[in-house]
Amino acid sequence: MISAPGMEVLLSAAELQAKVRELAAQIDRDYAGKDLMLLCILRGGVIFLADLMRALTLRHTVEFMAVSSYGAGARESSGQVRITFDLASSITGRNVLVVEDIIDSGRTLASVLDLLRARQPRSLEVCVLLDKTERREVMIPIRYRGFSIPDRYVFGFGLDIDEYYRNLPHVAVWKEKPAGPA
Ligand code: IMP
Ligand code: MG
């Protein structure tokens, strides 16, 4: 397995898989008898989506969308999003469940939801694996939440550091330097 000095496991593969099964069971119950489209926001949501959809017993379709933030730094989002890869099919009249890796300020997802709402889905809900609750600037109704996590940069299980490490089976952080005299 990939590892590097200072890399620490925040959420183990077993914890993640247990949570995926728990979320899938809730989604199975809530959407029983209904049509469902999972909409994955690329690229971070892709591992979560792949595991979640296989844990669902419900019949559903999947779609993908990619967005990028205008004028954002590498690790901060501006909130102004531009669609770089749009859905291949219409969401009008569908029950759409957006599958996201992480919510930080909430700006990215807030804009994505505005764009999607304009297309008049029958329903629009959010399923997010990781929530940096204390960083929230824009309120977002989250129907399904995996874990609330502290304000630290995380990677693995779909999340990247400069596009690398998405393939880790766990969610990792870099070990914090011990506090001490400068
Ligand atoms: P927001 O618009 O501030 O909520 O930022 C959300 C996006 O920033 C996510 O979809 C991720 O792409 C990225 N992001 C935020 N925090 C992290 C992190 O800790 N690791 C990796 N990507 C992150
Ligand atoms: Mg994302």
Side-chain angles (χ1 to χ4, degrees), residues 176-181:
E176 278 174 350
K177 291 195 185 81

Side-chain angles (χ1 to χ4, degrees), residues 102-117:
I102 189 165
I103 304 185
D104 187 20
S105 70
R107 292 174 181 281
T108 306
L109 199 51
S111 313
V112 167
L113 292 175
D114 284 346
L115 291 169
L116 295 174
R117 228 172 263 122

Side-chain angles (χ1 to χ4, degrees), residues 41-45 67 99-103 108 158-159 166:
I41 311 293
L42 295 171
R43 290 179 283 257
V67 296
V99 177
E100 247 294 44
D101 52 353
I102 189 165
I103 304 185
T108 306
L159 294 115
R166 293 189 194 272

Side-chain angles (χ1 to χ4, degrees), residues 11 15-32 36 38 45 47-49 51-58 97-101 126-131 142-148 157:
L11 297 165
E15 284 175 288
L16 290 163
Q17 294 308 323
K19 186 61 77 176
V20 165
R21 284 194 297 275
E22 198 184 296
L23 293 171
Q26 283 176 35
I27 295 167
D28 268 338
R29 275 197 303 276
D30 294 350
Y31 288 88
L36 174 64
L38 299 181
I47 304 289
F48 181 36
L49 172 86
D51 285 350
L52 185 69
M53 64 187 285
R54 285 178 294 177
L56 287 174
T57 60
L58 203 73
L97 181 58
V98 175
V99 177
E100 247 294 44
D101 52 353
V126 173
C127 177
V128 66
L129 181 68
L130 308 173
D131 181 7
I142 302 173
R143 181 79 176 268
Y144 307 97
R145 176 191 284 102
F147 301 91
S148 266
F157 203 73

